[in-house]
Amino acid sequence: MLSDRYSINLQTNFDNLPNIDYKLERIKTHRINLAQTNDWIRQSGMAKYQYGIISPRLKISHEYLGNKGANLMNIVGKDYRWNEITP
């Protein structure tokens, strides 16, 4: 089994601009003996802005798991996708 993992983190904190926090992670796996490739992507982020005593924010989350290749005895599941946006 061969795997690669990549991640990115980004944060900003400037006066008079929204604060941003963003994370991205990707894991790619290849199982040679099963001729199978999995690709998993996770993202999350938040933006908020302080305006006096009020601090509005927006949060997002996203996940994707893609399976490609042999489907021997249902070892490989279906693709999976999930999104969420919250205040």
Side-chain angles (χ1 to χ4, degrees):
M1 180 167 70
L2 302 170
S3 295
D4 292 314
R5 181 178 183 264
Y6 307 98
S7 64
I8 296 172
N9 293 329
L10 171 69
Q11 291 182 322
T12 63
N13 190 10
F14 298 109
D15 293 336
N16 301 323
L17 291 175
N19 296 337
I20 297 172
D21 184 13
Y22 175 75
K23 295 176 186 151
L24 170 68
E25 180 180 27
R26 181 178 187 188
I27 302 170
K28 191 165 187 126
T29 305
H30 183 69
R31 296 180 181 171
I32 298 168
N33 58 340
L34 296 177
Q36 173 188 1
T37 302
N38 300 335
D39 196 13
W40 188 4
I41 300 171
R42 288 189 281 194
Q43 299 181 70
S44 64
M46 182 177 70
K48 66 179 179 177
Y49 184 74
Q50 187 72 33
Y51 185 73
I53 61 170
I54 299 172
S55 182
R57 70 177 183 180
L58 180 66
K59 293 173 70 174
I60 61 165
S61 296
H62 168 77
E63 281 193 34
Y64 169 74
L65 174 60
N67 297 302
K68 296 178 183 170
N71 193 2
L72 304 171
M73 299 183 313
N74 292 326
I75 293 173
V76 178
K78 304 288 184 203
D79 291 352
Y80 166 80
R81 186 178 308 262
W82 175 73
N83 297 301
E84 181 179 37
I85 300 174
T86 59

